[in-house]
Each structure stands twice: as C-alpha cells, then as structure tokens.
Amino acid sequence: MKQFLLIFLLMITGINVSAQRDTEHWIAPFYESTSYSGRSLYLSTDSVTPFNVTIYSNNIALGTVTISKGSPQIYVVPQANIAASNTSEAFAVINKGLYLLGAKPFYCTLRLASSTTHAEIITSKGKAGIGKEFFVAATPSPFGTSGNNFTAGVLATEDNTTVTATWSAITTISFIGATPATNTHTFVLNKGQSFIFAGLGTTASNMDKFIGAKIVSDKPITLTNGNMNGNFGTGSSSGSDAILDQSVPVERLGNTFAMVRTRSTAADLEGGIVIATENNTQVFLNGSTTPAATLNQGQWYRISGSNYVVQGGTHANMFISTSKNVYLYQLVAVNNSNATCGFNYIPPLNCFLPRKIDEIGKINEMPAGTGGASTVPSGTIVKLNILTEAGATVTVNGVTPTAAQGPYPVTGNTNWVTYTLEPVTGNLTILSNKAVTAGINGGFSTAGYGGYFAGFSSIPLIAKQTGDCIPGLVLEVDDSYDTYQWFRNDIPITGANSNSYTPTQSGNYTVRITVGSCPPAITPVYKVFTCLQQTTAAKTVCEGYLNIVPAFTSSTQTFVPGTVQIVTPPANGTAIVNPTTGVIGYVPNFGFAGTDTIVYKFCGNAPEFVDCEQITLTLTISESPTVTDATLRTCFLESNIATGEFNLTTANVTTQTGVTKKYYPSLTDANNQTNEILNPANYIAPNGVAYVRVSNANGCYRVAKITLIVFAPVQSAVLVDKEICIESTTTLDAGPGFNSYAWSTGATTQSISNVTVGTYWVDLKTGECITRQTVKVYPTKQPVVSNIEITNNDITVFVVGGTAPYKYSIDNVNWQDSNVFTDLPRGDTTVYVKDSFDCTPIEVMITVPNIVNVITPNGDGVNDVLDYSALANKPNLILGIFDRYGVKIFEGNKDTGYKWDGTINKTKKVSTGNYWFSISWNETKNQTPIKFSGWILVKNRE
C-alpha cells in the first residue's frame, strides 16, 4: 500500500484548458465535494497597450488588474465567490460566479489546485461560452466513492432569466440538496446569480445519469460542467481528479473534429465522449463509413483511446465526424494514471477558426504553492498540440516547428494536419496563415493540466461587446476574419466593415465574413432592440389642468394608448390616464403652487422592434397673470377718416411686473401666437378690438381685449356753402361748441365777415381732435333772358337760370313780378331782370317793330309790300308768311330784302284774306332770341 501511495504521489494529475480571447468572460460556479486550496484567475492579452480588467461577483466588483502583451496577471479568487461546498448551496439559487470585463480582448483561465494532489483549469470561452441551450457533460465512473461527484453550474448574464433543465426519466438521479419527483426543474435567476446541479458518486451509476441533460433559458447563460472529483479509468479505483470545463451553447457546435493524443497511452484514460443534440446522430472514426455509434438526443458515446492512429514516432491523432452537430470532450490523462483524469471541450474543425493564439500566459504556473500561491513546480513538462489546415505556415513564439514536430496527416481528412512540441514554457503565441487551434497537456509532481485554445463556432456568431440595447450596445464577431460586411434587415450598412459595429436602429443584424479559402458565411440573425429610453421634460401648468400627450423624443413610432402607464404618480396633484387616447390628465392640488413630478412610460406600435420611452416630467404649477380689458381712443386720420393710429403699448391691461406683452389682431392669433402685431406703438386700425397676450416668466399667459375707438370728424352743422352776388360779401359762422377755431384766413373766431366769393376752411377742435371743414362761397348764377315774344305792342319776357322768383323792369326803377309788358311804344326798349338774390340786374335791349296790318299790292306805291328791312341789321333775322292753315308761303331773307309783296315767289298773287307773319331775330348785344308775330290783311284790287 505504501508503495502504491508513493507511486500515486508521483503520478501526474491531468487537467484541461480551452480558452477564447474576448472582452467579456463569464464563469459559472461548481460544487466541491473535494476541497481545493488554490483558486486563481490567469489573464493575458495580445494588446501592447495596457488596459484594465475588472472582476465581478454577484454584480459587485472584487478587484481590477492591468494586463498587456508579455505581462499576464493573476487574481486570487475567494472560494465564496466561485465554489459551493454546503448542501444548502446545491439545487438552489445562490450568488456565486465570476464576470470579467476588459477594455480590450483577453484570455481568461480559472486554475484550481489542492497543493500537489489535485489540479484543474477552467478556461473561459468568452462570449462564445454564453447562450440559451446546452447539453450537460461529465464523465462516467466505474467505481463508487463519496469524494467524487458530477457538477453543472449555471450563471445568468441578465435579470429575470428563466432556466429549465430536463434529464432522462429512465432512472432517478440523486442530487445534492434535493430529490425532485420529476425529470425537470425550472428556476429564475437575475444577473450574477447561479444554480448548481450536483450529485455524489457514492453510487457509481449516479455519476453518468446527468450526462446529456438539456438546459434551456430565455436569456443568455453560461455552464461549467464535469466532475469535482472524478475517475473514468477502468483499471483502478485509486485516485481522482477534477474533470471540469466550460461548455458552449448548441449554436457553437460542429460535426468535424481532430484530437492529438495527450501524455498517456492507456485506452481507458484517453479517447473522448460524444453527446448528441439531435436524434439519429451517427459517429464515424478516422474516415470510416461505418458508424461507431448511433445516438438520439441527450445520449452519449465514449470513444476508446485505442482509436488514435500513430502517424510517426509517438505522435498519434484521431479524426471524428458525425452526421449532426455534437459535443466532443477529449478524455486526457498523464502517464496512464487514474488519478490524472480530465477532459477538454474540443472545438469543431472549420476554416473559420482564428489564425492566431496570442498569447496564453504563464502556461506552466498553477496556484499550487503555500496558501494557493502561483508557482512553477519543479519537473513541470508541458506538451503543445497544434491543429491547422494543410499547407499552412506555422510558428510558435516566432519559431517554425521542426520536421520531427510536424506536420502530421490526419487519417480520414486530408485538409488538416497536426503538430506536437514538447516541452514548452512561459507565454505562448501560435501563428498560422490558415485556421488554427491548439491544445496542451502537462503536469508537475502529482498534478497536470491541458486543453484547447480558441475557436468555438462552426460558423461566426454575433455577440455583444458591451451593452444590451440601443444606445450603448456594441456588437462584434471574432476579429480573425479577412473581411466583414454588416447588414440590418438584409440591407448592407455602408462603411460597416470591421469586426464590431455600434447599431443605432433596432432590427435584425447579420454579418457576412470571408476568410482564406472558405466560402463567404453569414452569421445567424442577432435581434437588436432599443433600450427603454429615459428622458426628462418640463412643462408649466397655468390654469389648473394639463393634458399630457405622450410622444417619442426620437423614435418615429406612434405610441399605443394602451401602453401608457404612470410609473411614479405626482406628489402634489392627481394624474389619470385616459385608456382610449392614452392622454394623461393632470390636476394640481387646490391652492398648490410650485413644482411637481410625474414619471410615465409608453411604447410604440412596431410589430416586433417596439420602442419604449420613460419620461420624467417636471411640472411647474404657476398662476397666470391677472389682466383686465382696456379701451384706447384716438383721433381719425385725415388720410382715411375711418381709421386711427393707436399706441397699443399704453393700454393698461395689467399692474403686474415682470410680464411680457405681445399684441395680436384676433383672440385666435393671441392664443396661437400667430400674426403678431409688430408695430404696436403705431397701429393703424378702424373701430374694433385688438388683443394682448400677457405672459409671465413661467410661460403662463392670459389674453386681454383692447377696445379701439376712432373719434369721427366733428363738423359744424351750420357752416354750409353759400351763394352771393359776385359783387357782394358774406359772413361764415362755424357755430358754437368747439374748443377752438382756426380759419384759412388766419382768424380764430367763431365766424368771419366780409367774405367774398371763394373757398375757405376752418380747423374745428373737439377735445384733442381737429376736424378741417371746407366751405365754399359761390357767386350766384345770374338769370338769363332766354327769349322775348312781341305781340303787337306787348312783350313777354322768358327767363331761365338764377334763382326764382324773378323781378322784371323796363326802367330799372320800377319792378314787377309779371314777365309781360303791354302797350310799349315802337322802337328800342331795355328790359331788366333780376332773381331773388337781388343782384345787379341783367338787361336786354329789344326793338318793338312797327306793325303793318294791311297791304294792298296793286302797284300804286302805297302799302304795296310788307317791309321789315329796317330790322335787317338784327342777327338771324327771319321773316315768315303763313296761310290760315299754317303753311309757309313766303320767307323773307337777305335776298328778298325782308319784304313781301303779297305774292308767292313773286309770280302768283295770293288771294285777298288774312295771313300770319312771324319775325324772329337775336338782339345784337346779348343774342337774346326775339319773336314778333301778328296778322296781316292782304287786299287785292281786282
């Protein structure tokens, strides 16, 4: 027994590592049935610029380290933050687990040690290790022991994450902390919380019952699974070791793998475990067309280490392919010891693997020293296994491997080759011009470690670099590809050609990448949502009530009334949401003045990518200004007597100070602040109204009405136009009642005298208004003698014009009302006429011709002719002879000498009888028409 124990202590314990370079790393806790003394994070990067990495547990920062290329750092993790050991911490929600955040990508491994007896490394896959669907891995055990267990720890990355685990219902599983009645369990975690499924290996069959269990969640989680401790070797029950690795979600899986044998050769301590995620999954080894196994979802198959193919010397590898995507964990050990068991998650081979692993730090250090100090134990040997595409150029720390180190072919797949380098130390950088991944296997004294680095997706996937939603969300894919093109809703985004992108709009995002000889690949859709936008706003409540209409500040969506909710009600008022319109009605408490706050939330009407906004609205409850209506009066404008010029600014509508006044032509304009009167001090308007909007410093306002009155011109009712004789004067009197008088003559009296014919004006002042009234003094129109008719010795005077009644005279002394004068003597007579104005009379001189009543045209020289040649000097003289029927039988003119001899055309004598004559002419002086008529007897002597 002692010899066995000595051999046991000299054995090397195998551990594993599989790391991914990233800005975020999540590590779920595990259950320690066997206690460990050292737990430390090893952090490294390829960035030559130093940057900080902060370590969190349960959302609380534990500490910060600064790393850079060539300067990896260690952070010691307390057991309370990562490991559970009490029964109450299993099958329960606990606050354990780690989250690391760096400004740039870095590698992260959690290394465990129990002095020199046990050791393990859990390597983070970064964001490639978080997802929503996993299948649990562990190793079976042919031997029962209470110090061994299976463990599967889940850690949530977001609040309110619902997780459901389902396992085989064929046999009952004995969990630590619970014995559920069914084969499923659901729990809810917030960010940073975790849950551990664990079961003891007291009964050996209990160790493999949870293998293949399905774990799904509605938000991203991470899974750490395996055994703590375990022993999968069949040769001996002696010894055990931690067998842990971080899993990856199913979307990261593939179906083509290659493994290089580690530092053991025993078939039961090498090989691998395949876990199927779909029914009817076939497993093929080394290019064989005959499946080694056919599995359904959740079933697993152990590949024997005897399937490794020796390719040259001691170098052996194995090619595994499956008909559907699977999990593959490589079983590893050191020097064929059951005490050195471990396993590594193996990434699938594909041309999208990165081309570098830069850099893995302190590859041969472990927290195996006193108190968990990091040391490089004496005798440490580390073996490096490299897988890369055929024809690739490979260097390790800048040195090309020797021919003895590789490349070696892979049986069943000519596209890939493998290398082995032993020993390696310190920090490792592996570069290839084609896709590459690498694993290590090493140890010291009674402990060892190993694993794979980089490449955990058969196709590229979009992950969050920072943030959860817009704004603040940064998306990324691995930075080892040749080209990138980001898409939103299948439309390429101009200029989005790097491995990261900051979305500004919600939608379905994808990335098309190319690398090497691989065909272009497009990532699965990553749905981007906007964050709950939180904004602030301010409004003033002026009249005791306010309608708050929700509206987005940046989104183009329309809010849905049914989504409006009051998050924080006002403290100094009442707010009620109208369920139909979504409008919030706010009423301040009676008498309250000051500030109040209401917080409300609403969402938009998009079918999928719904925008929501939460607004913190600060309300200022303020009284509106006190106003009174006013009246302004002004004098008319002479240019338009219907209007006046008003100075609206003089209207006394309020006595309050600190207010602003603006003037408008209508009440609607005042309320809407449209059509402002820009010249209120010189406002031209007729009788009517104007409005003034009086606002205080809080923006509250009231509108006052200004009544506008234009004083109309006030004229004298007694001052009217006059007619006077042209030679006369008159008096103009404006009448009493005016404040002052200003005549165009310069007089300032009520009346002016001795006014002759002309146009005059007077400025009449009533109050402050002056009306200019014009008055005209016309010369009276003189009457005109239109014609005079003479009958025998009588005349009749006909008058037009002037102003009746007329007066008539023939001596300018004696006047009569009648226009008929009788018994006038023959010869010249002057007729005088004046109208009612009694102006200088007009006078017409007329001639009363001699009357000849009988002619005897017998040639005796006596009364032979009717002779009016004495009137020949009168203008327009016409003599007409008419028979008793009114037929003109003769016309006397200049040719006939104004004489008639009793014949018709001097040829035929007329018969004896009475005839009528008519003589007309115009008096020479004033062209007055004169008509003289009478009868004449023609007596012929036969």
Side-chain angles (χ1 to χ4, degrees):
M1 177 65 71
K2 290 181 181 180
Q3 182 181 10
F4 175 80
L5 292 175
L6 178 59
I7 295 173
F8 175 78
L9 291 173
L10 294 174
M11 297 297 290
I12 300 173
T13 302
I15 57 179
N16 64 87
V17 61
S18 182
Q20 173 79 12
R21 171 178 166 273
D22 214 331
T23 57
E24 291 183 81
H25 295 270
W26 298 82
I27 303 176
F30 45 84
Y31 194 90
E32 288 186 355
S33 295
T34 298
S35 180
Y36 282 60
S37 58
R39 304 167 189 83
S40 295
L41 294 167
Y42 287 70
L43 310 175
S44 60
T45 182
D46 62 340
S47 172
V48 296
T49 303
F51 63 91
N52 290 338
V53 176
T54 303
I55 300 95
Y56 298 85
S57 181
N58 190 29
N59 305 310
I60 299 173
L62 302 179
T64 299
V65 297
T66 303
I67 61 174
S68 61
K69 184 174 175 62
S71 182
Q73 298 297 318
I74 300 168
Y75 183 83
V76 177
V77 180
Q79 178 187 10
N81 297 118
I82 192 61
S85 58
N86 296 323
T87 302
S88 61
E89 296 177 317
F91 219 89
V93 176
I94 58 176
N95 297 320
K96 293 180 182 289
L98 300 175
Y99 168 59
L100 291 85
L101 177 63
K104 298 182 179 181
F106 62 97
Y107 290 97
C108 171
T109 62
L110 174 64
R111 305 185 189 184
L112 314 175
S114 181
S115 185
T116 58
T117 60
H118 305 297
E120 175 59 304
I121 297 178
I122 301 171
T123 57
S124 173
K125 279 75 173 173
K127 288 187 284 293
I130 62 174
K132 298 179 182 180
E133 183 177 346
F134 298 81
F135 285 82
V136 175
T139 61
S141 176
F143 310 106
T145 173
S146 60
N148 293 346
N149 72 16
F150 68 83
T151 176
V154 173
L155 175 65
T157 66
E158 297 182 22
D159 287 341
N160 197 29
T161 301
T162 300
V163 185
T164 299
T166 305
W167 55 90
S168 173
I170 298 175
T171 56
T172 303
I173 301 177
S174 296
F175 291 101
I176 299 172
T179 305
T182 64
N183 68 322
T184 186
H185 183 66
T186 299
F187 50 92
V188 178
L189 302 175
N190 285 328
K191 180 180 179 180
Q193 290 185 324
S194 55
F195 190 99
I196 300 176
F197 295 94
L200 292 176
T202 305
T203 303
S205 61
N206 200 50
M207 291 288 283
D208 62 8
K209 290 180 180 179
F210 204 58
I211 299 176
K214 184 178 182 180
I215 298 179
V216 296
S217 61
D218 62 347
K219 296 178 182 179
I221 59 173
T222 187
L223 171 66
T224 298
N225 52 200
N227 308 95
M228 191 74 176
N229 280 346
N231 176 3
F232 52 75
T234 59
S236 171
S237 62
S238 299
S240 67
D241 203 356
I243 307 170
L244 290 176
D245 201 1
Q246 187 180 75
S247 184
V248 296
V250 294
E251 65 264 22
R252 299 277 180 174
L253 302 179
N255 64 354
T256 305
F257 309 87
M259 300 188 303
V260 179
R261 189 168 63 189
T262 60
R263 295 186 60 205
S264 288
T265 57
D268 64 330
L269 295 177
E270 290 279 353
I273 292 178
V274 174
I275 302 171
T277 62
E278 299 181 56
N279 291 338
N280 196 30
T281 298
Q282 295 177 311
V283 182
F284 303 93
L285 303 177
N286 296 317
S288 173
T289 58
T290 301
T294 301
L295 308 173
N296 287 328
Q297 186 184 79
Q299 292 182 335
W300 56 277
Y301 170 70
R302 178 170 177 175
I303 302 172
S304 172
S306 62
N307 290 292
Y308 278 108
V309 178
V310 177
Q311 302 293 350
T314 61
H315 187 96
N317 57 35
M318 185 190 311
F319 177 64
I320 303 98
S321 62
T322 57
S323 60
K324 299 178 181 179
N325 289 352
V326 299
Y327 287 89
L328 173 62
Y329 287 81
Q330 181 182 19
L331 301 177
V332 300
V334 177
N335 294 342
N336 299 327
S337 169
N338 288 48
T340 63
C341 294
F343 73 8
N344 304 318
Y345 168 77
I346 301 299
L349 297 175
N350 63 84
C351 58
F352 295 112
L353 288 172
R355 298 182 180 186
K356 65 178 180 178
I357 303 170
D358 184 16
E359 65 179 359
I360 305 302
K362 302 180 182 292
I363 202 68
N364 46 1
E365 289 189 30
M366 289 293 288
T370 302
S374 181
T375 64
V376 181
S378 177
T380 295
I381 299 175
V382 177
K383 177 183 180 183
L384 173 65
N385 299 320
I386 301 173
L387 291 86
T388 188
E389 291 183 271
T393 300
V394 178
T395 61
V396 178
N397 288 348
V399 179
T400 302
T402 65
Q405 294 168 329
Y408 292 99
V410 176
T411 300
N413 191 323
T414 59
N415 295 324
W416 294 85
V417 296
T418 59
Y419 293 79
T420 297
L421 286 73
E422 183 180 355
V424 292
T425 61
N427 304 331
L428 293 181
T429 295
I430 300 112
L431 302 179
S432 175
N433 63 347
K434 296 188 178 182
V436 66
T437 186
I440 62 169
N441 181 224
F444 58 90
S445 185
T446 57
Y449 51 92
Y452 272 81
F453 301 91
F456 301 101
S457 174
S458 58
I459 56 173
L461 292 180
I462 298 175
K464 296 182 298 184
Q465 185 183 95
T466 58
D468 296 308
C469 49
I470 299 172
L473 176 65
V474 180
L475 302 178
E476 67 174 1
V477 293
D478 192 274
D479 65 350
S480 61
Y481 304 117
D482 292 338
T483 66
Y484 305 85
Q485 176 59 62
W486 289 80
F487 294 79
R488 175 181 176 270
N489 297 336
D490 297 325
I491 298 174
I493 303 170
T494 302
N497 305 117
S498 68
N499 74 303
S500 64
Y501 180 72
T502 302
T504 58
Q505 296 176 279
S506 59
N508 293 313
Y509 283 80
T510 54
V511 185
R512 184 182 65 210
I513 61 96
T514 62
V515 61
S517 60
C518 298
I522 296 180
T523 65
V525 169
Y526 190 102
K527 292 186 178 295
V528 172
F529 296 88
T530 56
C531 302
L532 173 64
Q533 184 172 2
Q534 299 191 42
T535 55
T536 59
K539 286 183 178 292
T540 300
V541 182
C542 300
E543 299 297 340
Y545 184 83
L546 178 67
N547 276 333
I548 303 169
V549 181
F552 286 102
T553 56
S554 57
S555 172
T556 58
Q557 296 179 18
T558 302
F559 83 94
V560 176
T563 66
V564 180
Q565 57 178 298
I566 296 174
V567 178
T568 304
N572 299 300
T574 302
I576 300 175
V577 179
N578 184 317
T580 302
T581 64
V583 175
I584 302 172
Y586 171 81
V587 180
N589 294 337
F590 181 76
F592 175 76
T595 59
D596 203 358
T597 301
I598 178 175
V599 181
Y600 60 97
K601 183 171 68 173
F602 54 92
C603 295
N605 62 339
E608 180 178 11
F609 298 100
V610 176
D611 293 337
C612 295
E613 186 165 348
Q614 180 172 298
I615 297 179
T616 300
L617 177 62
T618 300
L619 301 170
T620 300
I621 291 82
S622 172
E623 293 184 355
S624 297
T626 300
V627 300
T628 56
D629 292 344
T631 299
L632 291 180
R633 298 172 174 84
T634 191
C635 301
F636 66 92
L637 294 176
E638 287 191 7
S639 59
N640 183 356
I641 62 173
T643 64
E645 181 178 306
F646 295 90
N647 185 349
L648 301 180
T649 64
T650 63
N652 187 18
V653 295
T654 183
T655 59
Q656 293 178 325
T657 59
V659 296
T660 300
K661 300 175 186 176
K662 291 188 176 183
Y663 302 86
Y664 300 89
S666 72
L667 180 60
T668 300
D669 286 328
N671 286 319
N672 296 336
Q673 299 188 80
T674 55
N675 300 316
E676 181 184 355
I677 297 171
L678 300 178
N679 57 336
N682 305 99
Y683 183 55
I684 307 300
N687 286 329
V689 293
Y691 295 86
V692 54
R693 180 187 177 108
V694 183
S695 306
N696 59 22
N698 290 322
C700 294
Y701 77 95
R702 281 199 175 99
V703 177
K705 181 174 71 173
I706 304 174
T707 299
L708 305 177
I709 298 175
V710 178
F711 290 130
V714 179
Q715 294 186 328
S716 169
V718 299
L719 182 63
V720 294
D721 292 347
K722 286 188 174 183
E723 283 185 282
I724 64 172
C725 299
I726 189 65
E727 70 277 9
S728 301
T729 62
T730 187
T731 297
L732 296 178
D733 190 347
F738 297 98
N739 297 101
S740 66
Y741 306 82
W743 294 88
S744 56
T745 63
T748 57
T749 55
Q750 175 181 324
S751 63
I752 55 176
S753 303
N754 298 318
V755 175
T756 61
V757 170
T759 301
Y760 303 86
W761 53 258
V762 59
D763 286 340
L764 304 173
K765 187 174 184 181
T766 304
E768 296 300 319
C769 298
I770 296 175
T771 301
R772 174 165 289 188
Q773 186 171 346
T774 299
V775 61
K776 292 182 178 181
V777 178
Y778 295 99
T780 182
K781 292 182 179 180
Q782 289 285 69
V784 175
V785 176
S786 60
N787 63 293
I788 298 175
E789 292 186 358
I790 304 172
T791 305
N792 297 321
N793 292 83
D794 299 336
I795 65 171
T796 301
V797 181
F798 294 93
V799 179
V800 296
T803 304
Y806 305 108
K807 295 289 188 178
Y808 304 89
S809 174
I810 57 174
D811 59 8
N812 200 17
V813 175
N814 299 302
W815 295 89
Q816 66 181 37
D817 294 329
S818 174
N819 64 335
V820 177
F821 292 91
T822 61
D823 297 324
L824 295 179
R826 304 292 176 179
D828 291 334
T829 299
T830 300
V831 178
Y832 299 89
V833 178
K834 61 181 179 181
D835 65 4
S836 62
F837 281 91
D838 196 26
C839 297
T840 299
I842 61 170
E843 56 185 80
V844 177
M845 181 178 289
I846 64 171
T847 299
V848 179
N850 290 321
I851 297 175
V852 179
N853 295 112
V854 179
I855 64 172
T856 56
N858 54 8
D860 59 2
V862 178
N863 292 331
D864 286 333
V865 295
L866 180 65
D867 184 2
Y868 281 102
S869 60
L871 298 175
N873 64 329
K874 302 289 187 183
N876 300 321
L877 177 65
I878 296 174
L879 169 63
I881 306 299
F882 302 88
D883 64 15
R884 59 181 178 174
Y885 300 107
V887 176
K888 180 184 286 187
I889 59 175
F890 175 79
E891 180 174 302
N893 50 39
K894 189 178 293 184
D895 294 334
T896 61
Y898 303 103
K899 298 176 181 180
W900 182 48
D901 58 359
T903 63
I904 298 174
N905 298 326
K906 292 186 178 294
T907 59
K908 183 181 179 180
K909 291 183 178 182
V910 298
S911 302
T912 298
N914 289 326
Y915 294 87
W916 292 98
F917 68 90
S918 174
I919 304 173
S920 62
W921 68 90
N922 292 96
E923 285 296 337
T924 303
K925 182 177 181 180
N926 50 19
Q927 298 296 307
T928 301
I930 305 295
K931 185 177 182 181
F932 172 51
S933 60
W935 59 269
I936 184 171
L937 173 64
V938 178
K939 188 174 181 181
N940 290 312
R941 292 180 181 179
E942 301 299 336

